[in-house]
Amino acid sequence: MSDSYFPRWRQVDDSVPGTIIAPDERLSWPKNVAMGAQHVVAMFGSTVLAPLLMGFDPNVAILMSGIGTLIFFLFVGGRVPSYLGSSFAFIGGVVAVTGYAGSGPNANIGVALGAIIACGLAYTLIGVLVWFVGDRRGGGARWIEALMPPVVTGAVVAVIGLNLAPIAAKGAMGTSTFDATMAIVTMFCVGGIAVATRGMVQRLLILVGLILACVIYAICANGLGLGKPIDFSGVAAAAWVGLPTFAAPVFKAEAMGLIVPIAIILVAENLGHVKAVSAMTGRDMDRYLGRAFVGDGVATMVSGAVGGTGVTTYAENIGVMAVTRIYSSLVFVLAALIAIVLGFSPKFGALIQTIPGPVLGGMSVVVFGLIAIAGARIWVVNQVDFADNRNLIVAAVTLVLGAGDFTLKIGDFLLGGIGTATFGAIILYAVLGLLRRPARR
């Protein structure tokens, strides 16, 4: 591996099906751009949905996801391939501190933004500690790994996908049999492309699957009148270039007290994601863990400063890497640049609104499922022993707490399923370790 801060990104021949592209390698530039576009497609469903649930401007979220990804790329020196998008971990806290009613712009968005910045700062400080306490071999990450070993991180990553499953299922079911049918068709489009094609078409299965599903939906709805037609009038009326709706933060101690603890959840997410990428690439990325935390924390602060959501490394894009076997970090630079351009385009925002709900629901089922499988992969790669009752109980409890969205109310603070599952896994693993009986000699 090069001692320089950034890799040299050697171009490789990917003409052989299934060729693995490492983080410090790259495709030809046209293929890099195509892969970047696919990662934008993979992230935008969640990146747009999260701000909508909190009353934020989706175009700001898209813009800041691109800027956040570039910030992350700079901090990790291009060594860890990852995309940063809107974090669902903030939704419960933001709704609690703003009193958001669930529709339209959030009138109290400033209070949430100040708390998001404070959370990003706490996250950054954790990252600085991990970065500088340890040596270049990842020693600073050992205390985090002791709290969150593979059985914990795998469970937390899996829980993120399982916790989002009801959102995907609800979107896939829609309001009619036609909606549910089109969601299933979307799943078959992606699955069919994944197994029946080769080369770049297979590598672009998410993007191609989405386009194919939209075409089929348009034929059935707009052409045959079987469902709600796709309405493109909003796209025609929207401007090509324009500023999204920025907002300024307001700092209130009560709000910060509720949202700052989310930093622990982000640490667990990021740790799990880095471990997942390490497992898929076969490279030890522990030495970059502190940098990854700092990059994510700084990106969250920058996003909150202008009206964006808190951000996190996206398992959706890790899922895309798992399927395509393309881990080049340059792909994420191009994805970020595409997202930045789209963030300044009201026409793109209008185009997002034209994607049929059933199609987006079907895509969500596939992508969120890939998140859950990424967690299971951590267990498999790290050979987690489920004959050990400690591991078995931790995984079992964590999955049910997260999938069931077990929510705790502590005063005015609501800790949702991902949060309770994360803290529950960490605490339960530690407590069971203390209670473990020493082996007989």
Side-chain angles (χ1 to χ4, degrees), residues 7-380:
R8 298 186 183 278
W9 290 290
R10 177 178 59 89
Q11 182 173 343
V12 297
D13 180 11
D14 67 321
S15 59
V16 179
T19 300
I20 296 176
I21 310 300
D24 56 356
E25 297 174 338
R26 68 175 178 88
L27 303 165
S28 63
W29 287 112
K31 292 180 179 180
N32 274 334
V33 172
M35 284 305 305
Q38 172 163 275
H39 278 287
V40 171
V41 170
M43 70 81 183
F44 81 72
S46 296
T47 295
V48 169
L49 179 59
L52 290 177
L53 294 176
M54 293 183 282
F56 287 39
D57 184 346
N59 267 53
V60 175
I62 293 171
L63 171 65
M64 297 316 298
S65 76
I67 293 175
T69 298
L70 293 181
I71 291 172
F72 181 89
F73 176 87
L74 290 175
F75 272 100
V76 299
R79 304 288 181 176
V80 182
S82 196
Y83 193 93
L84 270 61
S86 303
S87 172
F88 280 78
F90 287 90
I91 294 176
V94 168
V95 171
V97 302
T98 62
Y100 182 57
S103 63
N106 192 327
N108 297 320
I109 186 175
V111 176
L113 296 178
I116 288 172
I117 293 174
C119 178
L121 176 60
Y123 188 11
T124 300
L125 293 176
I126 294 173
V128 169
L129 183 62
V130 174
W131 187 351
F132 289 102
V133 167
D135 55 27
R136 293 188 69 242
R137 296 182 181 276
R142 289 173 189 156
W143 60 276
I144 289 185
E145 292 178 341
L147 290 174
M148 294 180 286
V151 64
V152 172
T153 55
V156 170
V157 172
V159 154
I160 295 170
L162 295 175
N163 185 265
L164 297 175
I167 298 174
K170 184 177 181 180
M173 289 185 293
T175 59
S176 67
T177 302
F178 175 77
D179 289 348
T181 301
M182 287 309 306
I184 295 173
V185 168
T186 302
M187 299 174 209
F188 273 103
C189 286
V190 178
I193 291 169
V195 301
T197 62
R198 296 291 183 271
M200 279 308 295
V201 175
Q202 187 184 62
R203 292 182 185 271
L204 293 170
L205 79 164
I206 301 294
L207 180 60
V208 176
L210 177 66
I211 294 173
L212 178 59
C214 286
V215 170
I216 295 174
Y217 184 98
I219 292 173
C220 294
N222 294 59
L224 303 178
L226 298 178
K228 182 180 179 181
I230 301 176
D231 182 8
F232 294 100
S233 60
V235 179
W240 280 101
V241 180
L243 291 174
T245 306
F246 294 116
V250 176
F251 296 93
K252 289 190 176 181
E254 306 84 41
M256 289 188 282
L258 294 177
I259 291 182
V260 166
I262 294 172
I264 300 299
I265 301 174
L266 300 180
V267 166
E269 286 182 346
N270 204 333
L271 175 63
H273 294 173
V274 171
K275 291 293 186 182
V277 173
S278 295
M280 290 187 293
T281 61
R283 297 191 175 187
D284 182 5
M285 296 184 176
D286 285 354
R287 69 183 65 189
Y288 307 116
L289 191 58
R291 293 197 219 171
F293 291 168
V294 173
D296 198 353
V298 171
T300 291
M301 289 191 285
V302 172
S303 179
V306 298
T309 63
V311 296
T312 186
T313 50
Y314 253 28
E316 288 91 333
N317 297 89
I318 293 175
V320 172
M321 286 191 284
V323 173
T324 62
R325 297 184 180 182
I326 296 176
Y327 308 106
S328 173
S329 58
L330 277 184
V331 167
F332 292 95
V333 173
L334 296 171
L337 295 176
I338 293 172
I340 291 172
V341 171
L342 297 178
F344 283 113
S345 175
K347 192 173 287 290
F348 174 71
L351 182 62
I352 289 175
Q353 303 300 324
T354 67
I355 298 175
V359 172
L360 194 57
M363 292 295 296
S364 297
V365 169
V366 175
V367 174
F368 293 165
L370 289 174
I371 299 174
I373 294 301
R377 181 182 175 88
I378 293 175
W379 291 338
V380 173

Side-chain angles (χ1 to χ4, degrees), residues 92 163 400-402 404-410 413-421:
N163 185 265
V400 173
L401 288 178
D405 198 24
F406 185 85
T407 302
L408 287 177
K409 185 174 183 181
I410 307 171
F413 176 58
L414 290 177
L415 190 64
I418 294 177
T420 55

